[in-house]
Amino acid sequence: MCGIIGIISTNEVSSRIVNSLKKLEYRGYDSAGIATLVDGNINEVKCEGRVDILEKDILKFNLKGDIGIGHVRWATHGKPSKINAHPHSSEQVSVVHNGIIENSTILKKFLEKKGYVFKSQTDTEVIAHLVTDYLKKNSLKNTIIKVLKKLHGSFALGVIFKDRDDLMVGARRGSPLAVGYGPNENYLGSDSYALKSMTNKISYLEDGEFCIIKKDQIEFFEGNGVKINKKVMNLSKEDIHYDKGDYKYFMEKEIDEQPSTINDCINEYVDRYNNQINIYNFPWKINSFQSIVLIGCGTAYHSCLVAKYWLEQNTNLDVSIDIASEFRYRKVRFKKDCLYVFVSQSGETADTYAALELCKKNKMKTCAVVNVVESSIARDADLVLPIYCGQEIGVASTKAFLGQMLVLYILSIKISFDQKFITKKDYQSKIKNLLSLSNSAKKTLKLDHKLLNIGKVFAHAKGCMFLGRGYSFPIALEGALKLKELAYVHAEGYPAGEMKHGPLALIEEGMPVVVIAPRDDHYKKTMSNMQEVIARGAKVLLITNKNKDEVVSENIWEQIEVDKLNDELIPFLVTIPLQKLAFYSALEKGYDIDKPRNLAKSVTVE
Ligand code: F6R
């Protein structure tokens, strides 16, 4: 993952590099560093921990320089520490890197034999020494070409050179890299977000390419050194000023934004006047595919899992789902009549991107459901369906999960109607129901007060379970994932009907268990499963929806009731209390809610 920024200018750059690194912390936050050129010499400041610490050190050090590179790290090779923080420098060059150099051990041995001494345990340091070594006998451009050939694995690189305050180099294989164009200065960034405060003119490097960036010019090359031209894109300005507002945490804000992000997304896809769904750029005839495969990682995968139920319910497609890191290495039988859908908030997740590339290589029909429309996945897919939920900063995905489910639901009813699987009346009634979703989400957010106290119990539990059937099963998985990643509590999501096949053995006196049981076709069965865990000592938090009847069950510890909506829309509503539960559990423990330990927002390594 890791974040990269580089600036070459006629003014001092360190404070702007620090500002960009603060924005990039969502990509990694275990250590940070910066290197600039002062009188032709490389100067480094690095620290373990957050960019705030780096900023203080830079002030102490009074770091000057009109050209520099900066980095926030998510450790892969070597534990988080000052010595392992990037940049990694020799006397001649300084390098920042996102990705993994798979042959670093072999390269290190080769360089050590030549007398190079390594200070860190990182894979990145080999790049600094390798560049230094090739520079002895090669021009700068040839050095880059030769070094890139030597490196195996994935990388985005930023490099500055001693005595060359006129240029910096960027290179990419596997991990994304953007360049930005400014007035008498230019930039390098691991994504456009880092550059948005400085410019809205951006180009992206494609796999295998490198670039030489000067103050007034950027040259792009294929890996073999052949010069190429690049399109300059204009970025939208809308996300530039996204901040916490009156909230203490981005996650809290992002949960509360959901009613409006639902509305924004619906406004993009639903023609309220004609009561129909518009996906204008849908490039295929509806009969050209008989099956659909949905692919993602983590929370995005959970949205695929919910969509499987919708698509099976509403279309005659054969539906499969896959975890991207598994899909990309399996012997997949590609089918011409299949639509492959890639779901990713960031649009940069390495495994999801690799799965997309594999499908493209096999000439499959591809569709991306993403939040970041300038991302690699969005750029490479045949069809892009944005989720329109705005920048998501909290590492734990919340509003993007609802956005992903929403777009997948909209896609499923669009296909359903186009396939004539449902009547026009049913189609329009589904759309009408959808229009009330935002309001029901708003009401669900008000169930907050109870969850604050419930969260205190979950926070201190040894372990807990999340159970559901049907649509509520993937939501149980998502609820468990949120609690794990935010409150560091061991949590398992299970289909409620599976408990008696093993996991029931884990239930003991006082164990908190969330049962998600809306009044749908599964309700009675789930109620029985709930009683089975209560009988074994579980403290059950029941999440259901309102109904005229009382809940027909006993001995429930706590209960949350969301609105009564069409069954298909219940996954959206029952997710919200689970997000809040994880939030309050983490709050109770005083954990860093927006940046949980060991994680990062954009997972650009395998
Ligand atoms: C969990 C979470 C992750 C991401 C996963 C995929 O809260 O955010 O599980 O969902 O890393 O990320 P994207 O959606 O960017 O591909």
Side-chain angles (χ1 to χ4, degrees):
M1 309 90 62
C2 305
I4 290 177
I5 178 79
I7 307 179
I8 178 162
S9 175
T10 44
N11 302 311
E12 283 188 10
V13 292
S14 63
S15 64
R16 282 188 297 154
I17 289 181
V18 165
N19 285 341
S20 297
L21 289 180
K22 284 184 182 163
K23 294 212 167 86
L24 283 173
E25 271 195 317
Y26 76 93
R27 298 178 71 97
Y29 38 81
D30 60 45
S31 51
I34 176 170
T36 61
L37 282 189
V38 182
D39 300 328
N41 291 315
I42 294 163
N43 280 257
E44 264 183 16
V45 180
K46 310 205 280 192
C47 72
E48 184 179 342
R50 299 285 161 87
V51 178
D52 284 348
I53 305 172
L54 182 75
E55 189 172 25
K56 287 187 192 127
D57 290 351
I58 288 174
L59 284 176
K60 243 190 277 162
F61 196 78
N62 193 17
L63 189 71
K64 304 227 178 286
D66 296 350
I67 169 170
I69 46 178
H71 189 268
V72 281
R73 181 168 185 249
W74 183 84
T76 54
H77 275 58
K79 63 178 191 223
S81 68
K82 184 171 172 177
I83 208 95
N84 288 335
H86 298 214
H88 290 282
S89 310
S90 67
E91 273 214 358
Q92 299 301 318
V93 299
S94 185
V95 179
V96 284
H97 167 217
N98 172 27
I100 295 180
I101 305 302
E102 287 169 358
N103 58 339
S104 63
T105 313
I106 299 168
L107 291 173
K108 191 172 172 184
K109 277 193 189 137
F110 162 77
L111 288 159
E112 277 174 337
K113 269 194 202 145
K114 289 189 139 202
Y116 290 93
V117 178
F118 283 78
K119 291 178 272 192
S120 74
Q121 293 107 41
T122 65
D123 51 341
T124 306
E125 203 180 344
V126 297
I127 308 172
H129 294 311
L130 209 55
V131 173
T132 306
D133 200 54
Y134 276 105
L135 273 176
K136 287 180 183 160
K137 291 192 185 148
N138 295 278
S139 67
L140 188 137
K141 189 177 155 195
N142 281 342
T143 294
I144 300 303
I145 295 168
K146 288 185 177 168
V147 168
L148 296 183
K149 270 198 191 130
K150 280 267 175 208
L151 300 177
H152 296 174
S154 67
F155 50 81
L157 299 177
V159 192
I160 56 171
F161 303 81
K162 181 180 160 62
D163 293 327
R164 292 302 304 258
D165 59 4
D166 60 327
L167 60 82
M168 61 183 173
V169 165
R172 150 177 194 180
R173 189 190 302 151
S175 305
L177 195 63
V179 296
Y181 305 82
N184 216 11
E185 59 180 30
N186 288 315
Y187 323 99
L188 186 67
S190 44
D191 59 36
S192 56
Y193 181 56
L195 307 180
K196 268 187 170 175
S197 61
M198 298 182 282
T199 181
N200 69 337
K201 294 206 176 325
I202 302 273
S203 295
Y204 290 97
L205 270 78
E206 297 300 329
D207 251 8
E209 293 175 356
F210 71 94
C211 61
I212 298 180
I213 306 174
K214 298 185 174 169
K215 289 182 194 79
D216 48 2
Q217 179 198 30
I218 306 180
E219 289 181 301
F220 296 91
F221 304 92
E222 286 174 0
N224 56 10
V226 173
K227 208 166 160 188
I228 43 174
N229 292 322
K230 278 270 155 196
K231 249 196 350 217
V232 180
M233 300 164 68
N234 279 310
L235 293 180
S236 62
K237 296 228 177 220
E238 66 196 18
D239 292 333
I240 294 175
H241 300 298
Y242 187 73
D243 60 29
K244 279 188 220 156
D246 293 335
Y247 288 84
K248 197 156 173 224
Y249 302 97
F250 276 112
M251 183 190 177
E252 193 182 13
K253 182 170 188 247
E254 287 159 3
I255 293 172
D256 281 1
E257 276 172 356
Q258 292 177 119
S260 69
T261 58
I262 289 172
N263 242 339
D264 292 347
C265 185
I266 289 175
N267 286 341
E268 294 291 337
Y269 290 104
V270 175
D271 172 350
R272 289 170 193 255
Y273 184 71
N274 292 308
N275 209 11
Q276 66 184 29
I277 289 166
N278 289 326
I279 300 181
Y280 294 110
N281 45 353
F282 200 80
W284 309 285
K285 289 213 167 77
I286 204 70
N287 296 332
S288 65
F289 51 92
Q290 313 295 320
S291 57
I292 187 164
V293 179
L294 304 148
I295 297 164
C297 299
T299 288
Y301 170 72
H302 294 157
S303 73
C304 300
L305 199 42
V306 183
K308 180 177 165 76
Y309 289 82
W310 286 322
L311 285 156
E312 284 180 343
Q313 180 74 27
N314 291 314
T315 73
N316 58 20
L317 294 175
D318 189 1
V319 191
S320 329
I321 47 165
D322 229 311
I323 292 175
S325 56
E326 291 297 314
F327 177 88
R328 64 182 290 193
Y329 291 117
R330 279 213 321 275
K331 268 228 160 303
V332 174
R333 311 277 179 273
F334 288 103
K335 292 183 281 181
K336 280 267 166 270
D337 61 356
C338 181
L339 174 62
Y340 292 83
V341 180
F342 300 86
V343 183
S344 172
Q345 186 284 129
S346 61
E348 300 293 355
T349 299
D351 286 317
T352 314
Y353 184 55
L356 165 67
E357 291 300 291
L358 188 64
C359 289
K360 290 208 59 114
K361 219 163 99 192
N362 285 279
K363 302 199 167 34
M364 295 294 111
K365 302 177 184 73
T366 57
C367 165
V369 175
V370 291
N371 195 25
V372 183
V373 288
E374 301 105 8
S375 61
S376 306
I377 291 176
R379 278 180 285 128
D380 284 6
D382 298 327
L383 169 67
V384 182
L385 301 178
I387 61 174
Y388 297 108
C389 74
Q391 183 90 36
E392 188 181 67
I393 304 280
V395 163
S397 190
T398 52
K399 63 177 180 176
F401 177 60
L402 254 64
Q404 289 159 353
M405 288 200 294
L406 189 53
V407 169
L408 293 172
Y409 181 64
I410 288 171
L411 180 67
S412 75
I413 50 179
K414 162 88 177 142
I415 296 175
S416 179
F417 181 61
D418 289 354
Q419 280 188 333
K420 302 197 172 39
F421 194 88
I422 48 171
T423 61
K424 185 159 186 186
K425 194 165 156 242
D426 284 346
Y427 171 62
Q428 297 203 319
S429 128
K430 281 179 196 291
I431 294 172
K432 198 163 154 244
N433 280 322
L434 195 55
L435 298 181
S436 61
L437 182 60
S438 166
N439 206 23
S440 295
K442 203 183 272 170
K443 285 200 237 156
T444 312
L445 285 170
K446 295 201 176 117
L447 303 170
D448 203 44
H449 52 286
K450 252 191 176 181
L451 286 158
L452 180 68
N453 286 326
I454 298 173
K456 289 183 181 157
V457 174
F458 277 79
H460 301 293
K462 194 169 88 189
C464 49
M465 294 241 172
F466 290 69
L467 310 178
R469 284 172 178 255
Y471 300 120
S472 301
F473 160 53
I475 302 301
L477 293 178
E478 176 60 10
L481 177 61
K482 287 285 98 90
L483 194 71
K484 279 185 253 209
E485 67 182 321
L486 288 158
Y488 318 151
V489 173
H490 187 90
E492 292 286 347
Y494 262 100
E498 273 290 291
M499 287 299 284
K500 53 193 167 297
H501 300 293
L504 205 51
L506 289 171
I507 303 290
E508 53 188 45
E509 199 56 43
M511 183 188 211
V513 173
V514 180
V515 176
I516 306 154
R519 322 298 180 104
D520 56 16
D521 294 345
H522 304 284
Y523 180 62
K524 286 194 182 136
K525 299 259 180 264
T526 315
M527 286 294 101
S528 306
N529 299 140
M530 180 181 75
Q531 285 307 333
E532 285 157 16
V533 293
I534 291 176
R536 283 153 184 88
K539 259 174 121 136
V540 164
L541 163 63
L542 173 66
I543 300 184
T544 183
N545 55 348
K546 290 198 182 91
N547 199 289
K548 283 194 288 309
D549 321 323
E550 289 290 292
V551 171
V552 277
S553 209
E554 303 165 298
N555 305 323
I556 297 162
W557 168 53
E558 286 288 0
Q559 186 173 318
I560 301 274
E561 286 184 354
V562 303
D563 260 9
K564 168 108 189 86
L565 274 186
N566 157 15
D567 287 355
E568 288 181 351
L569 298 178
I570 291 298
F572 295 94
L573 300 188
V574 292
T575 298
I576 295 171
L578 301 181
Q579 297 170 337
K580 291 255 178 189
L581 176 67
F583 174 79
Y584 285 127
S585 303
L587 195 68
E588 161 73 9
K589 285 174 144 172
Y591 289 165
D592 191 342
I593 291 178
D594 287 333
K595 297 188 176 75
R597 71 181 179 200
N598 304 338
L599 301 178
K601 185 78 182 153
S602 185
V603 187
T604 55
V605 293
E606 280 196 49

